[in-house]
Amino acid sequence: MRRPFIYHRASATFAGLLMVIVACVTRGAAAQEFGGREKLRAHSAEFRREVIKVTNGVWVAVGFSDANSVLIEGDGGSIVVDTTSDVEDAKDVKAEFAKLSTAPVRAIIYTHAHPDHTGGAGVFAGNDRPEILAHRLFVDRVPDVGRNGRDGGDQFGSTLPDALFINAGTGLQFGRRPAPTAYLPPTRTFTGDRLDLTIAGVRLQLLHTPGETRENIAVWLPDRRVLLAGDDFYKSFPALYAIRGARLRPIDQWIASLGLMIDLGAEYLVPGHTRPVLGSANVRAALTTYRDGIKSVLDQTLEGMRKGERPDELVQHVTLPPALAGSPYLQEFYGTVAWSVRAIYADYAGWFDGNPTKLFPLPERDRATRVIELAGGREQVLSRARRALTDKDLQWAAELADYVLAIDEGNVEAKRLKATALSELGERQISAIARNYYLSAAQYLLRDLPAR
Ligand SMILES: [Zn+2]
């Protein structure tokens, strides 16, 4: 996605100088991209397994599962917020929580419906028959359709070998250790903005805060100044759009929800994933940075769209402003700015980028047939793809392989070339889900191929 560089009447010297500059810039970028992988590796420390005391009577289990699970102790009873992914993870957390409180579980609260928060409910409930609380939209939501997997990878990298897997971006892993689930449906839901409750003597406010999901609720404990944010906040640039295939996230509502959370003035902030933020100044700074980061990407994208810029142009210049780009809360370990820009474009203007050539485009196979003929045939295209791989022009190598695969989906050489390009692209990502997606798609391409 480089901008085309156009120049006229350039001297040979200038051209030579240009090539040196391009080579330096490319090498610099590559080094930076590899640095991103090491940062992603270091980010795994965020998920080290620990039950962290947030404040009196509130603990969060981090690193036991993909998502966090929270224990709130009341008088003669306790409350569990989010329940991990499955029975095995939930058993591990429950054993830790049992060291802190043996009181029966009076309520389980789901911040939202993603399976990494709901799969272990039955384990926590045991024989305690707790109330199970969620927003009404938890029940009424439209399930994600996802992708059929024909071309795609798996953003969680659930089948990648250990040697290739680093983490899941917001958790250590999701789906790599299949285990039974024990989901329990909500027994009580609420509509509107807010539900006030007292459970086991603990005052709670459930606040409808749409963001990563439309049904997300934040749990606010006014007496203990603790805010459980669900998945509207975690230590990574957020997944404003999920490449696994999901509806666009309601970005403007997400921004408003973060504003509401900032105004609570919490002293303790417990995210749905990653470690808690302690101290009111730190909480305010973290939430404000997060809100401002999302808002900046939204505002820049809309401004560019008003000037008539297309998604491919927007992603070349929309970035976090320097004051936010270095924030530990906005590193692209999970979501990315570029995907967000494309999602915002699609949300506000739809799939059409304004160029009438694209109103009724040639079918993929038809275009590939013509491009390959233009290029001098299939062998020529594959040979250029091999050269692109050697030059580390990886995106181009993958695109060339795609032309051949569009007319011959079983072409072994094109599959191998594309798989190599995707593997190398995967190794250059800071986003765990980009990495996992590339590497798993490469794995699928190589499946069932004859040995060389
Ligand atoms: Zn989650």
Side-chain angles (χ1 to χ4, degrees):
M1 278 174 282
R2 285 174 210 140
R3 262 184 202 287
F5 189 91
I6 299 163
Y7 64 97
H8 301 282
R9 296 190 304 274
S11 69
T13 317
F14 177 66
L17 182 65
L18 187 69
M19 280 171 70
V20 172
I21 292 168
V22 167
C24 289
V25 168
T26 310
R27 258 204 303 275
Q32 218 169 30
E33 286 155 355
F34 281 105
R37 182 183 54 201
E38 296 318 309
K39 282 184 192 163
L40 178 62
R41 225 180 269 287
H43 182 58
S44 293
E46 193 65 32
F47 318 120
R48 62 191 184 274
R49 201 175 165 108
E50 191 178 350
V51 175
I52 300 170
K53 182 176 178 180
V54 178
T55 183
N56 284 337
V58 183
W59 295 269
V60 56
V62 180
F64 287 78
S65 190
D66 187 54
N68 295 339
S69 183
V70 174
L71 175 69
I72 302 166
E73 192 182 32
D75 294 331
S78 65
I79 302 154
V80 172
V81 181
D82 288 344
T83 64
T84 78
S85 310
D86 58 54
V87 167
E88 294 307 316
D89 291 352
K91 277 184 186 165
D92 290 347
V93 173
K94 189 178 180 174
E96 293 297 319
F97 284 175
K99 297 175 191 167
L100 303 165
S101 169
T102 51
V105 177
R106 300 288 185 214
I108 289 173
I109 301 171
Y110 292 138
T111 58
H112 64 290
H114 282 163
D116 49 329
H117 299 256
T118 60
V123 172
F124 290 101
N127 297 317
D128 295 346
R129 304 175 65 84
E131 189 96 274
I132 298 177
L133 293 144
H135 195 271
R136 180 68 207 174
L137 291 175
F138 181 108
V139 181
D140 293 344
R141 72 191 189 280
V142 180
D144 292 340
V145 174
R147 304 200 184 283
N148 63 14
R150 194 190 64 170
D151 299 314
D154 163 19
Q155 71 171 48
F156 298 110
S158 47
T159 61
L160 286 179
D162 287 347
L164 292 180
F165 183 77
I166 297 180
N167 62 51
T170 56
L172 211 49
Q173 62 90 20
F174 180 66
R176 289 175 57 77
R177 225 182 24 178
T181 55
Y183 167 72
L184 296 173
T187 58
R188 181 175 176 189
T189 60
F190 70 104
T191 54
D193 294 342
R194 171 175 163 178
L195 178 67
D196 286 65
L197 295 163
T198 301
I199 300 169
V202 181
R203 284 206 302 145
L204 300 152
Q205 292 175 6
L206 309 189
L207 306 171
H208 185 217
T209 45
E212 196 186 272
T213 62
R214 284 165 172 78
E215 75 278 8
N216 193 80
I217 56 175
V219 181
W220 170 232
L221 308 181
D223 300 321
R224 301 185 198 186
R225 314 300 297 169
V226 177
L227 172 63
L228 315 179
D231 278 5
D232 282 5
F233 176 84
Y234 39 75
K235 196 173 176 183
S236 163
F237 189 84
L240 301 179
Y241 166 72
I243 57 170
R244 67 183 161 80
R247 293 178 71 193
L248 300 165
R249 268 81 196 253
I251 294 172
D252 40 2
Q253 291 182 56
W254 199 333
I255 292 167
S257 294
L258 288 164
L260 183 149
M261 291 188 206
I262 293 165
D263 291 343
L264 292 170
E267 274 182 56
Y268 312 96
L269 169 64
V270 183
H273 298 253
T274 68
R275 304 171 86 77
V277 181
L278 310 178
S280 53
N282 294 335
V283 170
R284 173 170 290 275
L287 289 171
T288 305
T289 297
Y290 218 59
R291 191 255 328 256
D292 292 353
I294 296 172
K295 188 166 187 314
S296 173
V297 171
L298 175 64
D299 290 348
Q300 290 178 64
T301 304
L302 296 180
E303 194 189 323
M305 287 173 70
R306 286 189 203 100
K307 293 181 194 156
E309 290 182 335
R310 303 190 181 117
D312 287 348
E313 297 167 307
L314 289 162
V315 295
Q316 291 182 61
H317 70 81
V318 176
T319 50
L320 287 169
L324 297 174
S327 165
Y329 298 106
L330 291 173
Q331 302 306 298
E332 296 173 296
F333 295 124
Y334 194 59
T336 77
V337 173
W339 299 339
S340 305
V341 168
R342 292 182 188 280
I344 294 164
Y345 189 100
D347 193 22
Y348 281 78
W351 58 266
F352 177 47
D353 74 0
N355 176 0
T357 307
K358 297 187 186 167
L359 277 173
F360 298 100
L362 288 175
E364 204 176 17
R365 188 186 168 90
D366 195 355
R367 183 187 307 109
T369 304
R370 298 173 197 220
V371 169
I372 288 169
E373 193 207 331
L374 192 67
R378 195 180 300 195
E379 281 316 309
Q380 183 64 14
V381 172
L382 290 172
S383 146
R384 290 299 286 263
R386 272 189 290 273
R387 195 201 302 173
L389 269 188
T390 308
D391 296 345
K392 302 294 179 198
D393 192 359
L394 303 169
Q395 179 65 24
W396 183 229
E399 291 190 19
L400 288 174
D402 271 349
Y403 283 122
V404 176
L405 291 169
I407 61 162
D408 177 10
E409 65 178 356
N411 190 291
V412 171
E413 185 57 13
K415 281 187 172 188
R416 286 213 172 96
L417 288 167
K418 183 174 178 182
T420 307
L422 297 184
S423 296
E424 294 221 21
L425 285 166
E427 292 293 351
R428 287 160 174 75
Q429 306 301 316
I430 192 170
S431 162
I433 49 183
R435 174 187 172 86
N436 292 335
Y437 202 95
Y438 277 123
L439 296 184
S440 55
Q443 189 184 28
Y444 303 155
L445 277 166
L446 294 174
R447 209 165 35 194
D448 306 327
L449 287 193
R452 276 183 199 270

